[in-house]
Amino acid sequence: MAVADIITQPRQERGFSFEVLPPLKGTGTGALFAQMDKLAQLEPAFINITTHHAEWTYRELSDGRYERIRVRRRPGTIAIAAAIKQRYGLTVQPHVICSGATTEDIEYELLDLQFLGISDLLLLRGDKAPGDRSFQPTAGGHAHTTDLCRQVQQFNAGFFADGTAIKQPGQRFDYGVACYPEKHEEAPNIEMDLGYLKQKQELGASYAVTQLFYDNEAFFRFCDRARQAGITIPIIPGLKPLARLSQLTVVPRTFHCDIPEELARQIDSCQTDADAARLGVDWTVRQCRELYSHGIHNIHFYTMGATDAVVEIVTRLKQG
């Protein structure tokens, strides 16, 4: 069943989905599948797999000069998606991103996914490269998620990016996009940010998944403003429990989201990372219960560095 159908079907039970990362280059799949063994037991609605294209870095040479090289630290998104689908029988949703990819690269990704019978995607621009002041598209690639949406729509209509007809079009892709309850860091204001989300809806996005947040009121305000702006697609809240004391300052800086005053005061009173992790679980359980009480049927969890905490959260929620 497609993700869009899963999240819109009438149901009473609480739904969950999880984002996982492909393993670091050369480390194998053991740790990932150990993580997936825990998550699969929770019967998630779907599994979302991140994509990390190559990025520039610098390597020092023996003569003291630096060489600029491209490194891809987490290859294998499509292969991991296929492996999870086969091994666990779960609906999978790989990320397809603009960053680091040409339109031809993306076209080959779409073909590979069709061959594997994977038709759910999350379309994203991707992060700007470290050190860049703004996002720099790859030559021959896309600058915006809306451009990526257009390419997938064109592919669905039976045409390659250069306009050539696809002789035997395969299964159509269904896709979601990202949204930002506290606005994207590069958007000048929330109104323009919502305008971009509405464009993605008009270009065929079936749903949106939020950036992580810790203040449910920010999410509720965002949803209200989105509906007023004519955005009708489902909006899935994305959450990630805090796990360490340092995240009180790191998370707002990295993800451009506010830590509510109540949570900040509680973290500030924690003595150890273990205290902060327990608080993170309790706060996220509280968030989830409030979201469910407001009619949310599916909550998405970012699991990086927090798998055991997410398992505890979902287990507690399943218990009532």
Side-chain angles (χ1 to χ4, degrees):
M1 184 181 294
V3 169
D5 296 327
I6 292 171
I7 63 177
T8 56
Q9 64 180 338
R11 63 169 182 237
Q12 297 299 318
E13 72 272 15
R14 298 167 169 182
F16 311 92
S17 56
F18 306 118
E19 178 181 281
V20 299
L21 280 67
L24 286 166
K25 180 180 177 181
T27 61
T29 58
L32 172 65
F33 288 137
Q35 175 189 16
M36 275 303 309
D37 288 344
K38 298 176 183 178
L39 297 175
Q41 292 179 9
L42 301 172
E43 300 179 319
F46 61 92
I47 298 292
N48 170 305
I49 305 98
T50 64
T51 293
H52 304 259
H53 282 303
E55 59 188 52
W56 290 106
T57 187
Y58 292 88
R59 178 174 58 194
E60 187 174 6
L61 303 176
S62 57
D63 60 5
R65 292 182 299 121
Y66 284 85
E67 177 185 26
R68 193 178 187 220
I69 59 172
R70 288 180 68 83
V71 175
R72 189 172 184 184
R73 293 185 172 89
R74 294 184 184 272
T77 295
I78 292 175
I80 291 297
I84 290 173
K85 178 183 177 183
Q86 180 182 39
R87 184 166 179 152
Y88 301 98
L90 296 169
T91 297
V92 292
Q93 180 200 53
H95 293 191
V96 175
I97 66 175
C98 303
S99 178
T102 65
T103 56
E104 185 178 44
D105 293 332
I106 292 164
E107 200 160 80
Y108 289 146
E109 289 179 38
L110 298 179
L111 288 167
D112 285 345
L113 289 163
Q114 270 192 341
F115 295 156
L116 293 165
I118 296 171
S119 58
D120 286 289
L121 312 174
L122 188 68
L123 303 186
L124 306 165
R125 188 198 68 180
D127 297 330
K128 61 180 181 288
D132 284 351
R133 296 184 63 181
S134 60
F135 179 79
Q136 301 298 318
T138 297
H142 298 308
H144 305 287
T145 307
T146 48
D147 301 323
L148 179 55
C149 291
R150 290 186 183 96
Q151 180 176 355
V152 176
Q153 284 288 68
Q154 183 171 328
F155 192 93
N156 281 344
F159 295 92
F160 290 119
D162 64 1
T164 304
I166 302 173
K167 292 182 180 179
Q168 293 184 328
Q171 185 175 357
R172 292 172 59 87
F173 290 102
D174 189 80
Y175 53 88
V177 293
C179 62
Y180 304 85
E182 296 163 88
K183 90 171 183 59
H184 191 279
E185 61 170 307
E186 297 171 25
N189 54 65
I190 188 66
E191 289 78 15
M192 291 186 70
D193 207 24
L194 287 169
Y196 300 140
L197 179 57
K198 189 173 182 182
Q199 286 182 40
K200 296 172 192 177
Q201 172 182 279
E202 292 166 350
L203 289 166
S206 297
Y207 49 92
V209 183
T210 76
Q211 173 65 284
L212 59 84
F213 62 91
Y214 297 90
D215 184 354
N216 282 357
E217 289 304 315
F219 173 75
F220 296 139
R221 287 193 300 270
F222 174 78
C223 290
D224 288 343
R225 297 184 74 164
R227 300 315 180 206
Q228 292 167 11
I231 295 164
T232 59
I233 56 177
I235 298 174
I236 304 172
L239 303 180
K240 186 178 189 297
L242 292 172
R244 293 185 297 277
L245 293 169
S246 62
Q247 291 178 338
L248 177 61
T249 54
V250 171
V251 166
R253 185 170 64 248
T254 304
F255 297 101
H256 308 280
C257 64
D258 285 343
I259 302 293
E261 182 179 3
E262 179 186 354
L263 177 58
R265 289 184 182 278
Q266 291 183 42
I267 296 172
D268 205 36
S269 67
C270 290
Q271 299 299 311
T272 66
D273 283 343
D275 293 338
R278 283 191 292 272
L279 172 61
V281 168
D282 290 342
W283 184 271
T284 307
V285 168
R286 175 176 156 185
Q287 273 191 278
C288 291
R289 287 176 174 156
E290 184 178 29
L291 290 166
Y292 286 129
S293 73
H294 279 69
I296 300 299
H297 296 297
N298 197 89
I299 295 174
H300 189 64
F301 290 97
Y302 299 102
T303 67
M304 181 177 67
T307 299
D308 290 340
V310 169
V311 169
E312 181 180 347
I313 290 162
V314 174
T315 300
R316 284 172 57 176
L317 291 168
K318 281 177 169 286
Q319 292 171 349

